[in-house]
Amino acid sequence: MASATGTPETAVRFGEAEWEPSTRRLTVRGVPAKIPWRSAECLAILVEAAGEVVSKEELQERIWAGALMEDSNLAHAVATIRKSLDPAPGGGSYIDTVARMGYRLAVPVETESESLANVEANPPARRFPLRFTVLLALLLTLAVSASFFILARQQKRMRADTLVREGLLHLRRGNLAEGAKATPLFEEALSIVPDYAPALAGLAEAAARYGKGSFSATAELARKAVQSDPGCGECKAILGFVLMSRVWAWDEAGRYLRESIAMDSRVVQRRLWYGYWLSIQGRLDEAEAEAQTAISLEPARAHAHSLLASVRFFGGRYSESVAESQAALNLDPMHTAGYQWLERSHMMLGNDLEAIRVRAQHIGTWGGWTLPQQVDYSDQRRTIWLRSGRRGVAQAYLDEVSDPMPKETKRYERALWKMWIGDNQGALEELEAAVVSKPYNVVYVAVDPAFRPLHGDARFQQVLRGVGLAHVQ
């Protein structure tokens, strides 16, 4: 943590507590106190501030890195710390709440070196002559317990690795309900092995997929994982994904993705992300080759077929995109990317009613709707289409996401619906707003065939520059 926050690596004391930043170990009145990972991060920041007030906004940004969270999460983290520490030596709490500002550590912080200096200045009156005997006994005890310690450490690492793998499986299913299960698993892994690089990278991927706010903090969390373990290929791949999807640092993203593949070319997820990177750059033949390689490595992986569907969609091969999307959904009916490219292909083919039906499946799968709910949604939109045509359906879609928050996260879809009904200027306005709000799929703007009628427009070229993709044209 020191490299990211400036927290000292040596142990510090405050009141009757001792904190070891490098291991995230808290001891209170001589007894180890276990606190959750988020609370440990909060305590580390407050100890680093050494009595200065730390604002709630800074704590939220540094601890959650832009991830989706409730306002009560920070208060809960602080309450957990207080439960482990309080009461302070003079009574009251170790942590003060400063109204309308934030929190501060209410007791002085003293480093290990300062404690030693105090001991030298005030030596104990009595010296024990049996130090050598005690040292021998200690060495014998350490020798006996060393093997047990090593075994316990290996078991902790194995447990943390299992949690991370399970979290990544949930995270990459591509729907909200599964994604929500991932973050607690990463946090549990970090409570077992503090600063465990794959778990940090997993949190960064979760924030990139489902988070909000500053994605620069998400990228820094992914960078921290790589810096903590440069040999972690998964960490490099996730950093490349974050830089590609949320920061738009294209060259750096491509470099990390290629490095991760070079470390193990058999890991399909790394090839999938690199395939998307290639397609976003307009290098569709290379992207298709990556998709085909991914399919050969894992024929039953739905994601590989949806990558191929996207490549063929970008190339205007809509019927082939339909076939690959269906292949992905046959392998995994919960794979939302398959519905995305299936819906988009039917829209481009002019199959409006089929696109409406697939959209009901798409948003239903993402949101956890029941089958009757999906059918009801589809029937309602079909009725609108029969009465008002495509324009009426597009307006219904726009009305669904007209409130401020969903509107900002759906700017790209809003642009697509406006292009669907020929409202080119309205689509440009949505794309210009998308450059600011950074919805996940705006990275496709340079190669998306829906926007080809806008390619000669100066405003569209400015959008491409905003996303860093002017070179694709």
Side-chain angles (χ1 to χ4, degrees), residues 224-418:
K224 178 183 175 183
V226 172
Q227 292 165 358
S228 176
D229 184 359
C232 176
E234 189 75 17
C235 301
K236 288 188 175 183
I238 291 173
L239 177 55
F241 165 74
V242 173
L243 293 172
M244 168 179 67
S245 62
R246 293 305 196 180
V247 183
W248 305 339
W250 299 107
D251 291 343
E252 190 180 12
R255 175 168 61 83
Y256 278 112
L257 290 170
R258 286 190 295 271
E259 286 182 10
S260 72
I261 293 172
M263 295 174 75
D264 191 342
S265 61
R266 299 165 299 174
V267 180
V268 168
Q269 185 61 56
R270 303 175 193 180
R271 289 190 172 277
L272 295 176
W273 280 336
Y274 187 52
Y276 277 111
W277 182 90
L278 288 167
S279 65
I280 290 165
Q281 306 300 309
R283 295 159 62 175
L284 299 185
D285 290 343
E286 295 173 75
E288 180 159 348
E290 286 293 332
Q292 296 288 8
T293 299
I295 291 172
S296 69
L297 288 169
E298 286 191 40
R301 181 81 176 269
H303 300 70
H305 288 278
S306 63
L307 169 59
L308 188 54
S310 72
V311 172
R312 290 180 173 170
F313 176 84
F314 295 143
R317 299 153 66 182
Y318 306 123
S319 296
E320 295 176 54
S321 180
V322 167
E324 288 300 329
S325 298
Q326 197 59 61
L329 293 170
N330 289 341
L331 292 168
D332 183 1
M334 299 296 290
H335 183 57
T336 53
Y339 292 113
Q340 174 187 6
W341 300 116
L342 188 57
E343 177 191 357
R344 294 292 316 282
S345 296
H346 282 305
M347 288 175 68
M348 297 302 290
L349 288 167
N351 302 332
D352 291 5
L353 290 178
E354 190 63 16
I356 289 170
R357 183 188 66 81
V358 175
R359 174 169 172 76
Q361 293 176 301
H362 184 186
I363 62 176
T365 302
W366 171 261
W369 290 1
T370 63
L371 181 59
Q373 287 175 310
Q374 295 179 30
V375 171
D376 183 60
Y377 177 92
S378 179
D379 287 346
Q380 289 180 19
R381 300 301 175 267
R382 178 187 175 89
T383 300
I384 293 173
W385 185 88
L386 291 172
R387 184 177 63 245
S388 306
R390 182 182 292 180
R391 184 170 293 276
V393 174
Q395 187 58 55
Y397 289 165
L398 290 166
D399 291 342
E400 289 174 17
V401 290
S402 58
D403 291 338
M405 181 56 70
K407 186 175 184 179
E408 291 308 310
T409 61
K410 297 292 183 181
R411 288 289 189 181
Y412 193 76
E413 287 92 336
R414 290 174 62 87
L416 291 172
W417 298 328
K418 290 183 178 181

Side-chain angles (χ1 to χ4, degrees), residues 1 4-5 37-38 41 45 57-69 200-209 211-227 238-239 242-243 246-247 438:
M1 189 70 182
T5 66
W37 179 75
R38 298 284 192 196
E41 289 295 296
I45 295 169
E57 291 76 14
E58 180 181 349
L59 288 167
Q60 290 169 347
E61 181 67 20
R62 291 176 63 178
I63 298 170
W64 278 269
L68 190 63
M69 59 168 289
L200 294 172
L203 286 174
E205 183 179 338
R209 287 181 182 272
K212 61 182 180 179
S214 172
F215 291 114
S216 60
T218 302
E220 287 309 307
L221 184 60
R223 288 187 194 281
K224 178 183 175 183
V226 172
Q227 292 165 358
I238 291 173
L239 177 55
V242 173
L243 293 172
R246 293 305 196 180
V247 183
K438 291 191 172 185

